[in-house]
Amino acid sequence: LPSETAANLSLTMLRSGSNRSRRDRVEQYLVAGSREQPKSLELKLCLADLKSLGEKYSEAEDLYREILLTDARHVPALNSLAWGLAMRGRLLDEASTFVERAIDQAGPVPQLLDTRGCVKLAQSRLRSATDDFLVATDAGGDPTTFLHLALVQAESGDVEQADATLKHAI
């Protein structure tokens, strides 16, 4: 398989359940592949995603930023960096800028609207976050988006609606 394809398949398998030794093997593979193909943004993205999956958030952030130095319009890196910053409650204005740039490139697709909603939630902009989550779920958002919508509904005090949304997510 081409390195990028193997990297993506490895990450998909790790996301569905992994142990430390498997993650370490994939990381070794990705590091070696990145050295052999230093211009491959796909390998660098996979390595960043793996770092994030392994809760090495600072290392992941650095890799996403490296990708953006090469390609400032790289939607997956913009989205992942924005999401990671929002989840850590860091640099939220910058996270907002990143997700807006991603939306400018790819349009208001559910995954990007979900990330923008998460950034707004981290900024305590509950009404605006709710709007993004509702649009994302109406456009076919995945169960995680429904979970985020339930979270913001609960945070806004609408516990009954949050419960219904959570049941739908499940």
Side-chain angles (χ1 to χ4, degrees), residues 99-120:
V99 73
E100 291 299 338
R101 285 173 42 199
I103 290 170
D104 288 346
Q105 293 302 310
V109 297
Q111 184 180 17
L112 298 178
L113 293 174
D114 179 64
T115 298
R116 187 169 71 182
C118 288
V119 171
K120 290 176 180 178

Side-chain angles (χ1 to χ4, degrees), residues 8-25:
N8 278 306
L9 286 173
S10 296
L11 275 175
T12 300
M13 290 187 307
L14 288 175
R15 284 187 185 106
S16 65
S18 71
N19 61 36
R20 178 76 185 180
S21 67
R22 285 186 187 137
R23 200 168 46 242
D24 289 346
R25 277 195 312 243

Side-chain angles (χ1 to χ4, degrees), residues 58-132:
S58 294
E59 293 176 42
E61 182 181 326
D62 291 344
L63 287 165
Y64 293 130
R65 289 180 186 280
E66 281 182 38
I67 293 167
L68 294 175
L69 287 174
T70 303
D71 180 2
R73 299 171 5 149
H74 195 280
V75 172
L78 288 165
N79 186 53
S80 294
L81 183 54
W83 188 86
L85 292 172
M87 293 301 101
R88 294 170 56 208
R90 291 182 12 86
L91 306 170
L92 297 176
D93 290 338
E94 188 177 19
S96 182
T97 299
F98 288 137
V99 73
E100 291 299 338
R101 285 173 42 199
I103 290 170
D104 288 346
Q105 293 302 310
V109 297
Q111 184 180 17
L112 298 178
L113 293 174
D114 179 64
T115 298
R116 187 169 71 182
C118 288
V119 171
K120 290 176 180 178
L121 179 58
Q123 293 171 321
S124 298
R125 297 172 50 205
L126 302 182
R127 182 69 236 154
S128 188
T130 300
D131 293 343
D132 278 338

Side-chain angles (χ1 to χ4, degrees), residues 39-52:
K39 292 185 180 186
S40 173
L41 297 183
E42 188 69 25
L43 286 174
K44 196 169 285 194
L45 179 68
C46 287
L47 182 57
D49 289 347
L50 180 68
K51 297 286 187 180
S52 183

Side-chain angles (χ1 to χ4, degrees), residues 3 28-38 40 43:
S3 297
Q28 290 170 359
Y29 169 80
L30 290 173
V31 168
S34 293
R35 283 189 191 128
E36 292 172 13
Q37 299 177 53
S40 173
L43 286 174

